[in-house]
Amino acid sequence: MPDKPGLTTHLNLNVRGLPISATLGINERSNQLIREGKRIYKLGLGQSPFPVPEVVVNGLRINAFRRTTCRFSDCRIARRRRCAITRTQGLNFAAEDVMIGPGSKELMFILQLVYYGELVIPTPSWVSYAPQAHIIGRQIKWLDTDAKSHWKVTPENLAKLCASDPDRPRLIILNYPSNPHGYTYSSAELEAIAAVARKYRMLVLADEIYGEVHFLGEHTSIAQYYPEGTIVSSGLSKWCGAGGWRLGTFAFPAQLQWLKNAMATAASETYTSTSAPIQYAAVKAFQGGAEIEEYLFQSRRVLSHLAHTLVARLNQAGFDIAPTHGGFYLFLDFAAFGPALGAAGINNSIDLCERLLTDTGVALLPGVAFGRPSSELTVRIAFVDFDGARALEAAGRLSPTEPPAR
Ligand code: GLU
């Protein structure tokens, strides 16, 4: 009797051949090399080095152990206190305007799923926006930026893109302080971008997950200037040391309730809700208080000091990079070293990262993972591979009046 044919692969074309997310991929690879005995500097994945604040951990402890039952309806607990979630942006959202998800990454995916329009993303942008669109089958328009303007979207280039097809429904993702480059927008820049978005009725997803780690604590949201068309995205991962807790938030203006309702339907058919104990703990985090303020103050000081020291050293080494404003990253262009690198057989950002990893043990991500042209020699450094608990302790011993390094 002939053998029955084995199971064959039947994959959705949109995911066929897609690799694992670049950030998680470089982390796994680094860990594997470490297990093989290599010395690796893990500057690939960007996760908070700081421990979750004690008051938030206690919120989790109490709610995990005291509540012996946990029904689905309990999972809406953070909703009742949602107003607290947006405290830092200085924006007033009503409790029912905020949606909670298992990480803002999942909320972004659901947003792309339910919204029917073109996705506009600046290049460079975080590694997962484009693959999410690809998985869902949405069209992507990359919006080019350059090192001279600190990789920022300008109102001129945004207007040019919109004017090419003015009636097309569009969603732009603006992430600031930015992953991968660490720069943010001034109020004037946000206002000018908001004017273009309003003119072309473009939706803005303001990914403000690094807002709380603006080095000077001076984050401003584009929602101040374009409230009716902006969704503000945030979460616990970056400022609260709780990446693995998976809690993200989207805040919607009244005009975008239709979008929130569609997302809530998709959520109800997929993840249902975020783990209830995590939501209770998140309420503690978002309510803030003296302990959280101190934690944020010291976190910003440490990150700011590191970023500024790195920028100074890199400039001494021949780069030309301006001080950054917040977050965990620097985005470097090795163009000035192009001829020497070319002579060594390194002609693009992937070659560059491969050689750096094999020759020096330094794990970085190539610019191409952030949507930059493949021929470019750009890389992202995530400078958060350090003992955050020790760093916070050391910063706490310094005079509290000493300002963070500019
Ligand atoms: N956002 C982090 C990064 O860009 C890691 C988390 C993730 O990509 O899911 O490195």
Side-chain angles (χ1 to χ4, degrees):
M1 212 169 70
D3 280 352
K4 280 206 179 132
L7 290 176
T8 49
T9 47
H10 296 286
L11 282 176
N12 180 332
L13 283 178
N14 292 353
V15 297
R16 217 175 274 181
L18 261 195
I20 184 170
S21 167
T23 49
L24 305 180
I26 188 69
N27 197 44
E28 282 183 11
R29 186 148 172 231
S30 302
N31 289 341
Q32 178 57 34
L33 290 168
I34 291 169
R35 280 195 293 274
E36 288 165 13
K38 310 235 163 55
R39 174 139 204 200
I40 299 298
Y41 303 89
K42 293 178 67 181
L43 311 184
L45 177 72
Q47 57 183 336
S48 170
F50 303 118
V52 181
E54 199 54 34
V55 61
V56 182
V57 174
N58 277 336
L60 179 60
R61 201 174 275 139
I62 290 164
N63 286 290
F65 291 109
R66 269 209 206 132
R67 293 170 203 280
T68 48
T69 60
C70 183
R71 297 180 302 271
F72 290 125
S73 57
D74 289 342
C75 301
R76 292 171 178 245
I77 206 74
R79 251 193 207 175
R80 285 181 234 137
R81 308 258 187 97
R82 276 171 183 179
C83 309
I85 283 167
T86 50
R87 82 197 161 93
T88 50
Q89 274 96 16
L91 304 164
N92 287 317
F93 289 100
E96 59 280 5
D97 294 339
V98 181
M99 184 165 171
I100 314 280
S104 55
K105 196 172 186 174
E106 185 64 24
L107 291 174
M108 286 170 191
F109 185 76
I110 290 187
L111 172 65
Q112 294 211 46
L113 182 77
V114 303
Y115 178 69
Y116 193 70
E118 187 175 78
L119 177 71
V120 177
I121 28 183
T123 160
S125 273
W126 177 51
V127 299
S128 291
Y129 304 138
Q132 287 191 349
H134 193 81
I135 290 170
I136 292 163
R138 292 279 177 264
Q139 262 196 16
I140 304 168
K141 256 291 198 304
W142 288 99
L143 185 57
D144 202 15
T145 68
D146 58 42
K148 270 201 313 307
S149 351
H150 298 158
W151 310 106
K152 290 198 262 183
V153 171
T154 62
E156 293 77 22
N157 60 14
L158 183 59
K160 199 166 149 206
L161 182 144
C162 293
S164 66
D165 188 356
D167 294 324
R168 184 182 282 273
R170 291 193 175 92
L171 166 72
I172 185 169
I173 305 184
L174 283 182
N175 169 224
Y176 54 96
S178 158
N179 175 4
H181 54 65
Y183 299 110
T184 195
Y185 294 91
S186 67
S187 297
E189 287 168 334
L190 291 174
E191 201 170 355
I193 293 172
V196 176
R198 179 175 288 121
K199 177 171 173 193
Y200 291 99
R201 298 174 306 280
M202 185 180 210
L203 289 189
V204 175
L205 175 64
D207 180 356
E208 302 184 2
I209 191 111
Y210 297 95
E212 290 280 19
V213 283
H214 182 292
F215 297 150
L216 301 176
E218 291 171 3
H219 177 71
T220 305
S221 176
I222 192 169
Q224 306 268 13
Y225 305 103
Y226 186 40
E228 73 276 21
T230 303
I231 303 163
V232 180
S233 170
S234 193
L236 287 186
S237 312
K238 308 302 180 185
W239 69 268
C240 197
W245 288 24
R246 309 310 301 139
L247 186 132
T249 63
F250 265 22
F252 296 80
Q255 293 87 339
L256 298 182
Q257 289 306 306
W258 54 273
L259 202 48
K260 194 204 80 180
N261 293 341
M263 284 184 64
T265 300
S268 77
E269 299 291 10
T270 51
Y271 69 80
T272 303
S273 67
T274 295
S275 148
I278 297 292
Q279 290 198 59
Y280 280 110
V283 170
K284 285 272 172 245
F286 288 117
Q287 275 172 338
E291 192 182 321
I292 298 280
E293 290 312 320
E294 169 70 8
Y295 172 89
L296 280 173
F297 176 74
Q298 303 300 358
S299 306
R300 289 174 188 139
R301 264 172 131 191
V302 171
L303 292 170
S304 160
H305 179 70
L306 250 176
H308 287 83
T309 305
L310 278 171
V311 164
R313 293 224 184 137
L314 288 164
N315 283 336
Q316 275 164 15
F319 288 93
D320 180 15
I321 172 168
T324 54
H325 304 126
F328 300 170
Y329 313 102
L330 297 177
F331 198 65
L332 274 191
D333 192 349
F334 280 71
F337 307 95
L341 290 170
I346 298 170
N347 297 304
N348 56 50
S349 60
I350 293 182
D351 291 353
L352 180 57
C353 288
E354 279 303 317
R355 282 288 281 280
L356 276 169
L357 186 58
T358 48
D359 293 1
T360 69
V362 174
L364 304 176
L365 279 177
V368 74
F370 302 89
R372 295 302 302 166
S374 56
S375 57
E376 213 174 65
L377 292 164
T378 45
V379 300
R380 184 190 81 170
I381 303 179
F383 55 83
V384 278
D385 183 26
F386 61 89
D387 183 339
R390 268 185 66 198
L392 286 184
E393 236 178 79
R397 284 196 297 269
L398 297 173
S399 149
T401 53
E402 196 180 320
R406 282 224 173 222

